[in-house]
Amino acid sequence: MNVARDLHNRWLGGEQIAGVKFLMNDYVVISSGRHSGLSGSVVSVIKFEPNPPYVVETEKNGDIEVRENEIHHP
């Protein structure tokens, strides 16, 4: 069994995973980093680690990768 794939599938199903703050389709604002000021929806979590990276589908700039500490709920 692939643990990372299992965690990702559980996350996609809406399950809250320890150490991961945001869920699929959460609307977020990017508050720091090079994409600061953009907003959009979380479409994927890349790795399950401290300060996990997510893919956020922005309203105007397409998909970008950001770390958990760079985004927040509006």
Side-chain angles (χ1 to χ4, degrees), residues 34-53:
R34 67 186 195 135
H35 300 292
S36 182
L38 297 177
S39 57
S41 297
V42 174
V43 294
S44 187
V45 59
I46 298 170
K47 291 183 183 177
F48 295 92
E49 59 186 30
N51 194 27

Side-chain angles (χ1 to χ4, degrees), residues 2-73:
N2 184 318
V3 174
R5 184 180 7 223
D6 179 56
L7 283 173
H8 195 260
N9 286 337
R10 289 171 39 206
W11 180 85
L12 285 171
E15 185 175 331
Q16 185 70 52
I17 305 296
V20 178
K21 181 177 179 180
F22 299 97
L23 296 172
M24 177 75 164
N25 293 324
D26 276 354
Y27 187 78
V28 296
V29 174
I30 302 163
S31 55
S32 65
R34 67 186 195 135
H35 300 292
S36 182
L38 297 177
S39 57
S41 297
V42 174
V43 294
S44 187
V45 59
I46 298 170
K47 291 183 183 177
F48 295 92
E49 59 186 30
N51 194 27
Y54 297 87
V55 175
V56 172
E57 182 179 349
T58 65
E59 297 168 340
K60 296 182 180 182
N61 293 52
D63 292 351
I64 58 172
E65 184 178 324
V66 294
R67 290 282 182 168
E68 188 171 274
N69 68 344
E70 297 175 324
I71 58 179
H72 68 274
H73 290 286

